[in-house]
Amino acid sequence: MKPPETSTSVFDRVRFVLVETSHPGNIGAAARAMKTMGFSRLILVNPRFHDALEHEEALAFASGAQDILSRTKVVGSIEEALDGCNFAAALSARLREFSPPVWTPRTLAAHINMEPDVQAALVFGNERYGLPNGVVEKCNVLINIPANPEYSSLNLAQAVQVLSYECRLAVMEEAQAPATSIGFQGEAASFAQIEGMYAHLEEALTAIGFLKPDNPKKLMPRLKRLFSRTQLETEEVNILRGIAKKILQNRNS
């Protein structure tokens, strides 16, 4: 895994991740929305068109933000897109039964701005289908834009604009009251560290018969939802993995 990035600027610490985008024009429009707010880190996960970044619609809709497209990374999985991140936010108009905590865009932006060690990914789904549950469950929070409940449909680029605007606004309002502190805070656990912890816990719970592989029900999604509310730190992840390791050692002894 790559070492965490070190810049404390919100504009360097936030990446925008578009998952399985169907229309190249939306990619260009998203790049334009980002650039107007000072952001430049765009990642595409399995876009529909292999030449999405060079597509005439993408270039046309970027309208001056072609430099963002030229630096955009295309990857084959959400895991690759989140590499180096320790915080991920899924954007969805549809609430899920086992989603992580639901935040507003303003709450998200304030959190990112006030936590300089946060390396954040803002994850947007396909224009028609949104984000699959498997991707949402990997994220720390679910972002729901408080739109008109009778017509809450937002274009992909519009959603990117809302999130990038709120993040910029948070930077401009640094004079606001600081968030409540719980005292010492360690380094936030990375996405890869947390995924490794879940795999280790699942192995341990299976070994003691608490989790039945042939009938797992919803145990792991519930555990992921529980831990997503805690904003796990690296040391806390290590403690949980130590517990799982001890369970497996005792089981095998």
Side-chain angles (χ1 to χ4, degrees), residues 59-251:
L59 297 173
F61 278 83
S63 187
Q66 288 87 350
D67 58 319
I68 305 296
L69 296 181
S70 69
R71 297 195 297 271
T72 295
K73 291 177 59 179
V74 179
V75 298
S77 68
I78 188 64
E79 288 79 10
E80 291 177 84
L82 298 182
D83 186 28
C85 289
N86 53 26
F87 187 86
L91 189 94
S92 177
R94 177 167 58 91
L95 300 181
R96 321 293 174 99
E97 181 182 2
F98 293 104
S99 80
V102 180
W103 286 9
T104 65
R106 192 152 297 181
T107 300
L108 169 74
H111 174 76
I112 294 172
N113 186 55
M114 291 187 294
E115 299 290 344
D117 67 330
V118 166
Q119 299 291 334
L122 310 186
V123 186
F124 301 78
N126 173 273
E127 297 93 330
R128 183 175 179 182
Y129 303 109
L131 286 170
N133 289 335
V135 172
V136 174
E137 289 174 2
K138 294 180 184 296
C139 295
N140 300 87
V141 296
L142 181 69
I143 306 303
N144 187 255
I145 296 174
N148 175 6
E150 296 180 2
Y151 187 72
S152 59
S153 176
L154 277 176
N155 174 272
L156 174 60
Q158 292 173 332
V160 170
Q161 188 76 80
V162 170
L163 269 292
S164 59
Y165 166 77
E166 289 292 346
C167 288
R168 184 175 185 84
L169 187 65
V171 173
M172 296 173 63
E173 294 182 345
E174 287 184 353
Q176 64 186 358
T180 302
S181 174
I182 61 171
F184 172 77
Q185 287 183 286
E187 180 183 81
S190 70
F191 166 78
Q193 289 171 327
I194 292 174
E195 284 297 296
M197 179 203 74
Y198 287 142
H200 208 167
L201 283 179
E202 185 171 358
E203 182 184 2
L205 294 173
T206 300
I208 62 174
F210 192 81
L211 174 66
K212 297 177 173 56
D214 58 338
N215 188 25
K217 295 185 178 178
K218 298 177 179 178
L219 176 62
M220 291 310 298
R222 285 186 182 277
L223 285 177
K224 289 181 179 181
R225 183 182 184 188
L226 184 156
F227 285 120
S228 70
R229 295 198 296 268
T230 68
Q231 303 301 307
L232 286 165
E233 298 173 3
T234 299
E235 186 59 30
E236 294 164 342
V237 166
N238 291 339
I239 290 171
L240 290 167
R241 294 200 68 164
I243 293 171
K245 181 179 180 180
K246 191 65 176 177
I247 289 173
L248 291 168
Q249 286 176 341
N250 288 346
R251 184 68 179 176

Side-chain angles (χ1 to χ4, degrees), residues 3-10 12-13 41 84 116-119 187:
E5 296 153 277
T6 57
S7 174
T8 59
S9 169
V10 168
D12 293 329
R13 293 190 287 111
R41 303 184 64 193
D117 67 330
V118 166
Q119 299 291 334
E187 180 183 81

